[in-house]
Amino acid sequence: MSAQEEKKRYSEEELKEFEEIINTKLEVARKELAYIKDTLSRKNDSGTDNTGAATKLMEDVDTSEREQMSQSAGRLQKFITQLENALIRIKNGTYGICIDTGKLIPKERLRAVPHTQQTIEAKLRRV
């Protein structure tokens, strides 16, 4: 057995790296979500800070675009929840362990998809 196979958990230093990746992704996702929510909420805003052109522009956004934005907001909210749950797993010591196999998820996969709970092999088996 190789050292990677024998290893059951990531070190504190490795977990700190993953935590930084997750926090960076969380910050970006939260900003995107706030922007989408702000854009959607401006639809009915008739405050004095709106210019006529800006109000007209928002009126021109059709229903399907609003629906797409709402769907994007939903996906972002789900992503944020998954990232927050990954931070909880870091704190409780279960981060990076496949929920199906109990094996350590490769670092490369966690760097690419830091909220994953499965090795790629386990995920492919589920599909």
Side-chain angles (χ1 to χ4, degrees), residues 42-88:
R42 275 192 249 143
K43 175 184 113 180
N44 297 321
D45 185 7
S46 58
T48 56
D49 60 340
N50 280 347
T51 64
T55 302
K56 176 71 175 135
L57 179 65
M58 287 308 295
E59 289 171 1
D60 290 343
V61 176
D62 67 9
T63 304
S64 68
E65 287 176 289
R66 286 189 223 287
E67 181 60 30
Q68 284 180 330
M69 290 180 79
S70 291
Q71 288 174 354
S72 291
R75 284 190 298 273
L76 273 170
Q77 185 59 59
K78 181 179 176 183
F79 181 56
I80 288 167
T81 300
Q82 290 171 329
L83 290 171
E84 290 170 341
N85 289 340
L87 288 175
I88 291 168

Side-chain angles (χ1 to χ4, degrees), residues 68-113:
Q68 284 180 330
M69 290 180 79
S70 291
Q71 288 174 354
S72 291
R75 284 190 298 273
L76 273 170
Q77 185 59 59
K78 181 179 176 183
F79 181 56
I80 288 167
T81 300
Q82 290 171 329
L83 290 171
E84 290 170 341
N85 289 340
L87 288 175
I88 291 168
R89 289 192 303 278
I90 286 175
K91 299 285 185 251
N92 71 20
T94 61
Y95 182 81
I97 301 167
C98 180
I99 58 172
D100 292 328
T101 66
K103 294 180 181 178
L104 210 54
I105 300 169
K107 284 184 184 182
E108 301 77 34
R109 176 152 170 74
L110 290 171
R111 286 182 183 123
V113 188

Side-chain angles (χ1 to χ4, degrees), residues 4-19:
Q4 183 66 19
E5 289 173 330
E6 292 173 9
K7 190 173 176 179
K8 297 290 183 200
R9 299 194 187 284
Y10 284 110
S11 70
E12 290 297 318
E13 187 176 301
E14 290 166 322
L15 290 174
K16 187 159 181 62
E17 174 193 346
F18 294 128
E19 187 174 8

